Amino acid sequence: MASEDITKLAESLAKTKVGGGQLSFKGQSLKLNTAEDAEEVIKQIEEFDGLEALRLEGNTVGVEAAKVIAKALEKKSELKRCHWSDMFTGRLRSEIPPALISLGDALITAGAQLVELDLSDNAFGPDGVRGFEALLKSPACYTLQELKLNNCGMGIGGGKILAAALKECHRKSSAQGKPLALKVFVAGRNRLENDGATALAEAFGLSFICTLSQIIGTLEEVHMPQNGINHPGITALAQAFAINPLLKVINLNDNTFTDKGAIAMAETLKALRQIEVINFGDCLVRSKGAVAIADAVKEGLHKLKELNLSFCEIKRDAALTVAEAIEDKAELEKLDLNGNSLGEEGCEQLQEILEGFNMASVLGSLSDDEGEEEDDDEGEEEEEEGEAEEEEEEEEEEEEQQQLKERGQGEQESLTPKKIINSQDSTPVPSPPVDVATFLAFPSPEKLLRLGSKCSVLIAQQTDTSDVEKVVTTLLRISSVFKDDAPVKTAVHETTDALMRKAFTSATFNSDAFITSLLIHMGLLKSEEKIKAVPSLYGILMTLNHVVQQDYFPKSLAPVLSAFVTKPNRALDSCSFARHMLLQTLHQL
């Protein structure tokens, strides 16, 4: 370890905060790769008597350093709180599970009884959950009250592993007469989707209840925003919440309820008397769902402090119903109905109703109101019917494809002699030649491949890289044909490399203007001009995941790209895998 590195580490450790049983290295940007790097940290841990909380947030811990830190923790039986969020910055995903296993094994060996475990903002994915699975199932977590796993990229697979581990923890702890009594669960921005949410709902329903003389639920706060959960997953969660009567906070912001999920959740709310915060913002509850939630609020929820139904496609009448429902909610501090469709008159009526209750101060801003829409009911019914039809069509298409596969061979054998003759007589129609202009006008994987081995050179040559808009448009056209099929993926990567290398190495190319234009075309940044966003972000996200790793890509653009891809966005939610891949790569740059 270089002398200047030792000096820097010593200065950082001088800022270490000690007190109240807590040892904190929070935000010191320590780079702990080897055992030698971690010597001073280990010394502080070993010399700390009565260690109850260890903060390692905002540092980066490698596999070897984790092993020696773990060795120091093996004697810390009083440790109760592990604040270990954002402590693998810049690490490969493969490094995180072994590091977590070492630390978890140490806590088990020490006989620690954890109260809080925070591993948020560590992009470990499904494999990372395996890293602390054994810890969750061990006696060290029988006493766990707070589990925080925000922004970890667990995905559906990780959600299922987590749910199974929690159920096992409850089973084992119950056998010892002290059932797991989790109070706070945080798992926002994890791409859990319906299957992951349903698995966790089963854990909430089965694991966090104690069957003694009666069923007693223990959950008090659940935070699961931005997980791509639709109404089946929302309904499953609602059923689980119903048997956790101590719930105070439900945050499911930026998922997709539709009225089906909203109605199911409203029924659950009627049974919950301790609710203080309901955050269903940007959840598409629509008017029917809003009315159902309003009914639940009106019937009870006397401790309610915050109700967020912003950006939910709620029309005027339904919004006014919500306002009327809070008349006797003396503890209410905030009502958020921004971003819905009330119109100017509806906004005024809403304020008048609240003024009549002497509650005007609780209403949040209505600056993003979408304006009143006509044909309220008909519009919503058509959308609902459309969604139902889409679901049915998807199922039918899958069945038809399977049937076609099964029947394909038989149909060929049953061709009539006339069909055989016709097929023999017909002269194959040659595929029309493809040039760059044809491909860019109507891009498809087949056309890209038919351009041949020189496609990357041809497209780069024919694109004026001094024109940022042309570069962005060409990049989007190329990426739109991205597929996991090896020949297509290779062609997209090679063509993109030739184009972007030419652009970024050009003295006249404006990189900042490029990233701005790209974000606008992706629908992630608003523009004064009306520019239609690309219909799907999957191709461009997967292509960017390749581009940002190349030597020609300016690393100064990475933080900008990361900031906008991280922001809540429905189009990004529908491409959660590609989004996660890109964010993980950007995090490692």
Side-chain angles (χ1 to χ4, degrees):
M1 193 173 187
S3 59
E4 59 266 25
D5 292 333
I6 294 174
T7 302
K8 185 178 179 181
L9 179 59
E11 290 174 354
S12 294
L13 290 174
K15 301 174 186 175
T16 301
K17 295 179 181 179
V18 179
Q22 173 176 283
L23 177 60
S24 176
F25 300 96
K26 182 178 180 180
Q28 295 183 19
S29 301
L30 302 176
K31 294 182 180 179
L32 308 178
N33 298 315
T34 65
E36 186 182 1
D37 294 339
E39 282 180 357
E40 289 295 327
V41 174
I42 294 165
K43 183 182 177 183
Q44 296 257 10
I45 293 173
E46 289 177 340
E47 292 178 354
F48 196 111
D49 292 329
L51 181 63
E52 294 184 7
L54 177 61
R55 308 196 77 105
L56 292 172
E57 312 103 306
N59 299 291
T60 178
V61 181
V63 176
E64 293 306 313
K67 286 181 180 178
V68 292
I69 291 172
K71 194 71 179 173
L73 291 175
E74 287 181 357
K75 298 177 182 178
K76 300 299 175 181
S77 60
E78 295 177 341
L79 187 61
K80 292 180 174 62
R81 299 184 183 274
C82 297
H83 301 280
W84 294 350
S85 64
D86 188 25
M87 70 173 208
F88 296 110
T89 304
R91 299 290 169 186
L92 295 174
R93 211 163 93 175
S94 59
E95 293 181 87
I96 302 176
L100 287 174
I101 288 171
S102 296
L103 294 167
D105 288 349
L107 297 176
I108 296 170
T109 301
Q113 293 185 316
L114 295 184
V115 173
E116 179 179 359
L117 176 61
D118 186 356
L119 291 171
S120 298
D121 300 315
N122 291 309
F124 46 60
D127 294 340
V129 185
R130 294 286 189 198
F132 60 93
E133 180 183 18
L135 174 63
L136 283 180
K137 294 178 179 179
S138 76
C141 285
Y142 290 177
T143 51
L144 196 62
Q145 294 180 17
E146 300 181 28
L147 179 58
K148 300 174 181 178
L149 300 166
N150 200 57
N151 191 32
C152 293
M154 291 189 291
I156 295 171
K160 289 182 176 180
I161 296 168
L162 174 63
L166 289 172
K167 287 194 283 186
E168 181 69 4
C169 180
H170 181 265
R171 185 187 68 79
K172 288 181 175 179
S173 58
S174 296
Q176 292 193 8
K178 296 180 180 179
L180 175 66
L182 198 68
K183 294 181 179 181
V184 178
F185 179 78
V186 181
R189 295 174 61 188
N190 269 294
R191 304 182 295 111
L192 294 171
E193 302 180 17
N194 287 333
D195 288 348
T198 301
L200 285 167
E202 185 179 341
F204 296 156
L206 298 178
S207 296
F208 307 147
I209 55 177
C210 173
T211 309
L212 297 173
S213 59
Q214 57 182 329
I215 295 176
I216 305 173
T218 62
L219 278 172
E220 295 180 8
E221 295 185 25
V222 176
H223 302 263
M224 296 175 66
Q226 203 175 336
N227 268 299
I229 308 170
N230 299 325
H231 72 82
I234 296 298
T235 300
L237 288 171
Q239 292 169 348
F241 293 165
I243 52 177
N244 283 270
L246 300 179
L247 268 172
K248 296 178 181 178
V249 178
I250 302 178
N251 177 7
L252 295 174
N253 188 286
D254 200 9
N255 288 291
T256 308
F257 283 41
T258 69
D259 58 7
K260 293 180 182 177
I263 290 170
M265 193 61 71
E267 286 301 308
T268 286
L269 290 175
K270 292 177 182 178
L272 301 176
R273 300 300 176 188
Q274 305 301 318
I275 288 290
E276 296 178 3
V277 177
I278 298 172
N279 186 344
F280 297 160
D282 202 15
C283 281
L284 200 68
V285 304
R286 296 197 177 121
S287 294
K288 287 184 180 178
V291 170
I293 292 169
D295 288 343
V297 171
K298 191 172 185 176
E299 286 185 21
L301 306 188
H302 295 292
K303 296 183 179 181
L304 188 64
K305 294 180 180 179
E306 181 179 335
L307 175 59
N308 184 347
L309 294 175
S310 60
F311 299 93
C312 282
E313 294 192 4
I314 300 171
K315 306 301 190 301
R316 180 183 62 182
D317 291 346
L320 298 180
T321 301
V322 172
E324 291 167 352
I326 67 167
E327 180 179 3
D328 61 344
K329 307 303 174 234
E331 295 187 30
L332 192 71
E333 298 171 0
K334 183 178 180 181
L335 172 63
D336 193 345
L337 288 168
N338 198 18
N340 289 300
S341 301
L342 281 67
E344 186 176 346
E345 185 180 343
C347 290
E348 291 175 358
Q349 289 177 319
L350 181 65
Q351 290 167 335
E352 287 173 4
I353 290 172
L354 293 175
E355 284 172 2
F357 302 154
N358 197 26
M359 297 178 70
S361 62
V362 306
L363 182 63
S365 170
L366 297 172
S367 60
D368 292 319
D369 186 73
E370 296 288 339
E372 189 170 9
E373 296 179 10
E374 297 179 0
D375 300 322
D376 295 2
D377 296 335
E378 289 180 12
E380 279 194 11
E381 285 173 9
E382 285 174 7
E383 285 184 14
E384 289 161 15
E385 288 171 6
E387 286 172 0
E389 285 173 7
E390 281 177 14
E391 289 177 6
E392 290 175 8
E393 284 172 8
E394 285 175 6
E395 292 174 4
E396 288 173 5
E397 281 178 14
E398 289 177 5
E399 290 177 8
E400 286 175 8
Q401 287 173 2
Q402 185 61 35
Q403 289 171 0
L404 286 171
K405 285 180 183 177
E406 294 171 355
R407 289 179 0 215
Q409 187 63 38
E411 287 184 357
Q412 290 205 4
E413 292 173 356
S414 62
L415 285 171
T416 63
K418 183 176 180 181
K419 288 179 180 176
I420 294 172
I421 292 168
N422 288 342
S423 66
Q424 290 174 343
D425 290 343
S426 60
T427 303
V429 180
S431 298
V434 175
D435 56 21
V436 171
T438 303
F439 166 72
L440 292 177
F442 304 101
S444 71
E446 295 75 19
K447 287 176 187 170
L448 182 62
L449 294 176
R450 277 163 52 199
L451 279 172
S453 58
K454 295 184 178 180
C455 66
S456 57
V457 176
L458 291 171
I459 290 177
Q461 285 177 344
Q462 296 185 35
T463 303
D464 180 5
T465 52
S466 65
D467 188 333
V468 167
E469 283 299 311
K470 284 187 179 178
V471 175
V472 170
T473 302
T474 303
L475 173 62
L476 290 170
R477 295 290 174 85
I478 296 168
S479 64
S480 69
V481 306
F482 180 91
K483 289 170 62 177
D484 286 324
D485 180 58
V488 177
K489 182 195 288 188
T490 300
V492 169
H493 286 173
E494 289 178 351
T495 307
T496 302
D497 285 340
L499 172 68
M500 299 315 302
R501 188 181 298 279
K502 178 185 175 185
F504 284 127
T505 55
S506 170
T508 59
F509 188 68
N510 189 329
S511 299
D512 292 335
F514 164 77
I515 199 70
T516 300
S517 177
L518 180 61
L519 291 168
I520 290 171
H521 282 274
M522 291 173 68
L524 306 182
L525 181 63
K526 290 183 179 180
S527 171
E528 293 180 2
E529 300 176 14
K530 289 188 177 180
I531 295 176
K532 188 176 182 181
V534 292
S536 172
L537 295 180
Y538 179 77
I540 185 60
L541 291 173
M542 293 300 287
T543 303
L544 286 172
N545 186 49
H546 168 79
V547 169
V548 299
Q549 299 178 63
Q550 308 310 308
D551 57 4
Y552 58 73
F553 180 76
K555 297 301 182 279
S556 60
L557 298 182
V560 179
L561 187 58
S562 179
F564 280 91
V565 176
T566 303
K567 284 184 176 181
N569 184 286
R570 196 160 291 156
L572 287 170
D573 289 343
S574 64
C575 307
S576 56
F577 171 76
R579 178 193 208 176
H580 176 69
M581 290 289 289
L582 176 57
L583 286 174
Q584 181 179 310
T585 301
L586 288 168
H587 190 67
Q588 292 171 358
L589 291 179

